[in-house]
């Protein structure tokens, strides 16, 4: 902590060093303490801090701007608008009626839902030479054996069915066909007569379906699918538009 010079005094409120030539603190304008250090040292109670000065905005020249005769105020976002417009320029709320004495607030318009199909959006379909990863939902060509995004293995042609079960016996694991039963039971017996264990998996129960999301009306909001320009091509993996001069996608480097 820097020490005070002979020609300085420290403010007891904000701890700022001031020259002895000033009678109040240059930072917080607190008055300079008594010049008698002996009496200050013997005093047991510190000098009370002055009450903070309240901020009176009106005294500083600030005031709420009033509406002009050619303006009206939006009841939703409090923005001033010219009388020539029928809705707020900020939030597009409708202009209230001429009866300004009404106390009821302007109702907020109901949110517009968006229908993607109306805007031309649709889920891209798989081509004959493609397969979709069941883990990350990425489209891959049939020539690869694992997903190019998450490296999950390509599913077999009959992946929709449970094709095998694990039969744990005598410390070994063997792949066996799954019996046409509604429950799968796996047992293990050790050769040295150790206690066995078993568990059951009920494959008849299906998970509850999530509620369908609310439809999106993108067309009514002015959104639409941008079309491809002449010479452009769309990547089948990440759906990014690329110029004709490129031989691979600029985003995921998938070949054209």
């Amino acid at each position: 902590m820097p020490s005070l010079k002979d020609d300085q005094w420290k403010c007891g409120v904000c701890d700022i060093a001031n020259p002895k030539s000033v009678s109040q603190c240059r930072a917080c304008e607190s008055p300079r303490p008594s010049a008698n250090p002996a009496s200050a040292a013997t005093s047991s109670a510190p000098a009370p801090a002055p009450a903070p000065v309240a901020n009176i905005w009106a005294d500083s020249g600030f005031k709420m701007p009033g509406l002009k005769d050619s303006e009206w105020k939006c009841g939703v976002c409090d923005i001033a608008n010219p009388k020539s417009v029928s809705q707020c320029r900020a939030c597009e709320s409708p202009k209230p009626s001429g009866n300004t004495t009404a106390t009821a607030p302007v109702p907020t318009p109901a949110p517009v839902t968006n229908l993607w199909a109306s805007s031309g959006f649709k889920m891209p379909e798989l081509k004959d030479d493609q397969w979709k990863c069941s883990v990350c939902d990425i489209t891959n060509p049939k020539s690869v054996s694992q997903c190019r995004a998450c490296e999950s293995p390509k599913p077999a042609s009959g992946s929709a069915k449970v094709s095998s079960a694990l039969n744990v016996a005598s410390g070994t694991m063997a792949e066996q066909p799954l019996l046409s039963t509604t429950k799968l039971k796996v047992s293990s017996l050790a050769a040295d007569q150790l206690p066995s264990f078993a568990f059951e998996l009920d494959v008849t129960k299906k998970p509850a379906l999530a509620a369908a999301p609310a439809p999106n009306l993108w067309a009514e909001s002015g959104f639409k699918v941008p079309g491809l320009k002449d010479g452009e091509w769309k990547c089948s993996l990440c759906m990014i538009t690329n110029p004709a001069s490129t031989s691979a996608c600029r985003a995921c480097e998938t070949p054209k």
Side-chain angles (χ1 to χ4, degrees):
M1 177 70 70
S3 58
L4 285 175
K5 299 180 180 179
D6 294 337
D7 57 347
Q8 289 179 332
W9 61 274
K10 182 177 289 187
C11 175
V13 177
C14 65
D15 216 34
I16 293 295
N18 298 275
K20 287 186 177 180
S21 58
V22 298
S23 60
Q24 61 182 11
C25 179
R26 294 177 297 178
C28 66
E29 299 183 356
S30 298
R32 176 180 173 182
S34 173
N36 185 5
S39 61
T42 57
S43 177
S44 59
V53 179
N55 291 318
I56 302 176
W57 290 95
D59 294 345
S60 303
F62 290 94
K63 64 179 180 178
M64 181 69 69
L67 282 177
K68 300 179 182 179
D69 294 337
S70 60
E71 292 178 331
W72 60 274
K73 182 176 287 186
C74 175
V76 176
C77 65
D78 217 34
I79 292 295
N81 298 276
K83 288 186 177 180
S84 58
V85 298
S86 59
Q87 61 182 12
C88 178
R89 294 177 296 178
C91 66
E92 299 184 355
S93 298
K95 177 181 178 180
S97 61
N99 184 11
T100 56
T101 60
T103 58
V106 178
T108 304
V112 180
T113 54
N114 297 307
L115 287 179
W116 288 87
S118 302
S119 306
F121 290 94
K122 64 178 181 179
M123 181 68 68
E125 299 178 354
L126 284 177
K127 299 179 181 179
D128 294 336
D129 58 346
Q130 293 177 331
W131 60 275
K132 181 176 288 189
C133 177
S134 60
V135 177
C136 64
D137 215 35
I138 291 295
T139 302
N140 299 275
K142 287 188 176 180
S143 58
V144 298
S145 59
Q146 62 182 11
C147 178
R148 294 178 293 179
C150 66
E151 298 184 356
S152 298
K154 176 181 178 181
S157 58
S159 60
K161 300 179 181 179
V162 181
S163 60
S164 63
L166 293 177
N167 183 20
V168 183
S170 301
T172 62
M173 298 177 66
E175 193 172 289
Q176 300 292 338
L178 179 64
L179 300 178
S180 58
T181 58
T182 58
K183 292 187 177 181
L184 172 67
K185 185 174 182 180
V186 180
S187 301
S188 174
L189 291 175
D192 55 355
Q193 302 299 322
L194 290 175
S196 62
F197 69 93
F199 66 90
E200 291 187 354
L201 174 64
D202 192 348
V203 297
T204 60
K205 294 182 179 180
K206 297 182 179 180
L209 297 178
N216 296 313
L217 295 174
W218 286 95
E220 296 184 5
S221 303
F223 291 94
K224 63 179 180 179
V225 177
L228 287 176
K229 299 178 182 179
D230 295 336
E232 292 181 333
W233 59 277
K234 183 175 288 186
C235 176
S236 61
L237 178 62
C238 66
M239 302 299 287
I240 292 296
T241 302
N242 299 274
S245 58
T246 59
S247 59
C249 178
R250 295 177 295 179
C252 65
E253 299 184 356
T254 301
K256 180 177 179 182

